[in-house]
Amino acid sequence: MVALVIALALFFDFTNGFHDTANAMATPIATGAIKPKTAVALAAVLNLVGAFLSTEVAKTVSGGIIKEGSDGIQITPDIIFAGLMGAILWNMITWLKGLPSSSSHALFGGLIGAAIAGIGIHSVNFESLMQKVILPAIFAPVIAGGVAYVCTRLAYALTSRHDPETGSKLTQKRGGFRTGQIFTSSLVALAHGTNDAQKTMGIITLVLIAAGTQAPGSGPQFWVIAACAFAIAIGTYAGGWRIIRTMGSGLTDVKPAQGFAAEASTASAILASSHLGFALSTTQVASGSVIGSGLGRKGTSVRWGTAGRIAVGWLFTLPAAGIVGALTALLVMTGPVGVIIAAVAGTGAVLFMFLHSRKSHVGHHNAVEVEEAGQAVRFRKKKALAASRANKLKGGN
Amino acid sequence: MKWLELVQVAGATLLAAVTVVVLYSVGVRFTAIAGDPEQATPRWMKSLAYACFGLCGLAVLFGLYLIIPYFSK
């Protein structure tokens, strides 16, 4: 059972890397700052390095959320198995329905749901859950968005050039930001490794504690860190090929200066949160930054419909995955038959997902999760702007 | 407490991102000025630009240094 859960957790880690490469590396590839192959390799290596940097988030997952050990509450590998299955199944449902959803929140939701159904409501440490998961989940994207807005404004203000005598616009020469994006997107990849790989480390550590092979309250062992780091790096590398195939179809209108500001904010927000052990969704933070930096540019407005859809998916995931996790836990509690049914259903879901993803058309709309956030900000079209100016001139004459 | 930690995250994010973006933007601006073809531009403009990029890189490395537990122990 323990081995099964570890394998499942590592697989979850792999899919996490597979999904999220695009978030870090899509913009520099799109602006031509970096070659796709180099970008993907770089992202994989930095995810690997990032996973080794810190274990704060892993400790939050393994020690903070579900009470274990001394309080007399016994969390079993079966419960964790149910939680993981819940997360994977919920991920598949949202993926098929095209709902933007965070795999990190699905993981927590599944785990909490399984613990409540399997052990009881007293097994969940709600105070820690509130502090380390729910509040950061709500505030981190907002913080990242606000900071990205300020940074975009600053970046544009500092580099806008006017002729001192005539006041007319000079060539802006913001090409330098393209090179800068290589570094900021690398930081995003690093930040992703520090936060997301650690969630899996936390789960595996929790299983080891539950199975009694590790002392409660201790941090992840080295082989666990290494295994998670490699799983996410391999996932990142594998996921990259999908983006390379789809890059021809183009991305949201992201300018290098804007991308630079957004990525700097994303990386700062995730790294600062990881340092304090906040487990948050990297996709949500990146989305917040993209929206914030879009607003920082002149002549933009928010498409509230799209932004609202993102927000709903974002609030919905935790409880929904919790229900799926709870149902799986009830199934698993019925005995070995239930475990087999859950395992078969889970494996079937994963296989179906894999086959479906091979078959379905991969466009930038499903390769890049942040794309959704990019769509939420409406940019004034250059042509429309020119036309309105021309009209004004006509009116003046 | 939790609110203090959130404020810490917000402050650190703002400080780090603004530092990096401002330094890099100033660097980009100096490069642009140094690259103007019509005017005779002083040589130090270019060096100033590189100094800004260098400072920006140092700021990032310093941030990482603060985060990685290996160094702070």
Side-chain angles (χ1 to χ4, degrees):
Chain A
M1 195 68 189
V2 173
L4 186 69
V5 177
I6 291 175
L8 208 61
L10 287 177
F11 181 79
F12 191 82
D13 203 21
F14 175 86
T15 53
N16 195 331
F18 192 83
H19 271 290
D20 290 357
T21 332
N23 297 350
M25 285 300 172
T27 38
I29 295 175
T31 54
I34 188 166
K35 282 197 190 112
K37 277 187 189 174
T38 328
V40 171
L42 191 66
V45 170
L46 286 167
N47 261 302
L48 184 70
V49 173
F52 282 102
L53 287 188
S54 163
T55 52
E56 288 303 319
V57 175
K59 281 179 199 152
T60 298
V61 176
S62 69
I65 296 171
I66 312 275
K67 291 179 193 155
E68 79 255 299
S70 56
D71 297 0
I73 295 155
Q74 288 300 314
I75 178 144
T76 57
D78 297 43
I79 298 296
I80 301 167
F81 171 79
L84 263 176
M85 273 302 172
I88 289 172
L89 287 171
W90 174 249
N91 263 349
M92 194 196 76
I93 296 165
T94 52
W95 182 77
L96 282 177
K97 290 268 171 199
L99 291 168
S101 135
S102 154
S103 47
S104 317
H105 291 175
L107 184 62
F108 292 127
L111 202 60
I112 293 161
I116 291 175
I119 309 168
I121 199 137
H122 56 284
S123 66
V124 179
N125 187 346
F126 280 102
E127 199 188 329
S128 175
L129 175 72
M130 198 69 194
Q131 284 182 23
K132 300 265 173 161
V133 180
I134 295 184
L135 281 178
I138 294 169
F139 284 102
V142 177
I143 291 170
V147 171
Y149 173 81
V150 173
C151 286
T152 312
R153 272 286 155 95
L154 276 172
Y156 275 100
L158 283 170
T159 53
S160 86
R161 291 168 5 113
H162 294 275
D163 197 300
E165 283 149 32
T166 59
S168 63
K169 265 192 175 180
L170 287 171
T171 29
Q172 305 287 306
K173 288 186 185 153
R174 291 196 179 111
F177 283 115
R178 195 164 294 162
T179 323
Q181 273 199 296
I182 299 175
F183 298 104
T184 46
S185 53
S186 301
L187 279 175
V188 173
L190 188 78
H192 181 250
T194 58
N195 206 292
D196 277 12
Q198 286 195 52
K199 290 166 194 148
T200 319
M201 287 177 212
I203 294 290
I204 296 179
T205 305
L206 190 59
V207 173
L208 291 176
I209 292 172
T213 51
Q214 196 177 335
S218 57
Q221 292 171 5
F222 184 76
W223 68 266
V224 177
I225 300 178
C228 292
F230 277 101
I232 202 162
I234 294 166
T236 304
Y237 196 72
W241 301 112
R242 235 163 37 122
I243 323 174
I244 293 170
R245 271 196 297 157
T246 59
M247 256 336 168
S249 45
L251 261 171
T252 324
D253 184 18
V254 177
K255 291 272 186 287
Q258 183 197 349
F260 182 87
E263 283 161 9
S265 318
T266 307
S268 313
I270 297 174
L271 285 173
S273 308
S274 299
H275 188 53
L276 284 175
F278 289 176
L280 41 80
S281 156
T282 47
T283 307
Q284 303 287 14
V285 173
S287 302
S289 289
V290 168
I291 293 178
S293 76
L295 286 176
R297 265 172 70 184
K298 275 180 189 151
T300 52
S301 57
V302 176
R303 289 198 182 98
W304 288 112
T306 318
R309 228 156 56 86
I310 296 173
V312 168
W314 174 15
L315 295 174
F316 206 53
T317 299
L318 212 56
I323 293 167
V324 180
L327 291 177
T328 323
L330 290 178
L331 188 66
V332 168
M333 298 296 275
T334 57
V337 182
V339 175
I340 291 167
I341 292 172
V344 168
T347 322
V350 167
L351 265 178
F352 179 73
M353 224 165 146
F354 180 71
L355 291 175
H356 197 81
S357 77
R358 304 270 321 237
K359 191 175 63 180
S360 68
H361 171 73
V362 185
H364 61 271
H365 59 280
N366 54 14
V368 185
E369 288 174 345
V370 175
E371 175 74 5
E372 184 96 13
Q375 300 283 344
V377 177
R378 197 185 297 120
F379 296 103
R380 214 153 26 151
K381 286 265 160 39
K382 277 263 164 64
K383 261 185 198 164
L385 208 67
S388 73
R389 269 189 198 150
N391 279 336
K392 263 184 205 161
L393 281 178
K394 266 183 211 163
N397 293 338
Chain B
M1 264 295 292
K2 56 193 173 183
W3 293 109
L4 194 68
E5 287 191 336
L6 267 179
V7 171
Q8 259 182 325
V9 168
T13 307
L14 188 68
L15 190 72
V18 165
T19 311
V20 168
V21 169
V22 164
L23 281 173
Y24 200 88
S25 304
V26 172
V28 166
R29 174 152 208 172
F30 280 137
T31 329
I33 294 171
D36 274 343
E38 63 269 21
Q39 296 154 357
T41 45
R43 273 199 90 82
W44 53 267
M45 262 322 183
K46 195 99 187 173
S47 345
L48 213 57
Y50 286 127
C52 283
F53 291 136
L55 274 177
C56 180
L58 279 181
V60 170
L61 289 180
F62 180 68
L64 289 178
Y65 166 81
L66 285 180
I67 288 172
I68 300 170
Y70 181 77
F71 295 119
S72 48
K73 267 171 197 164

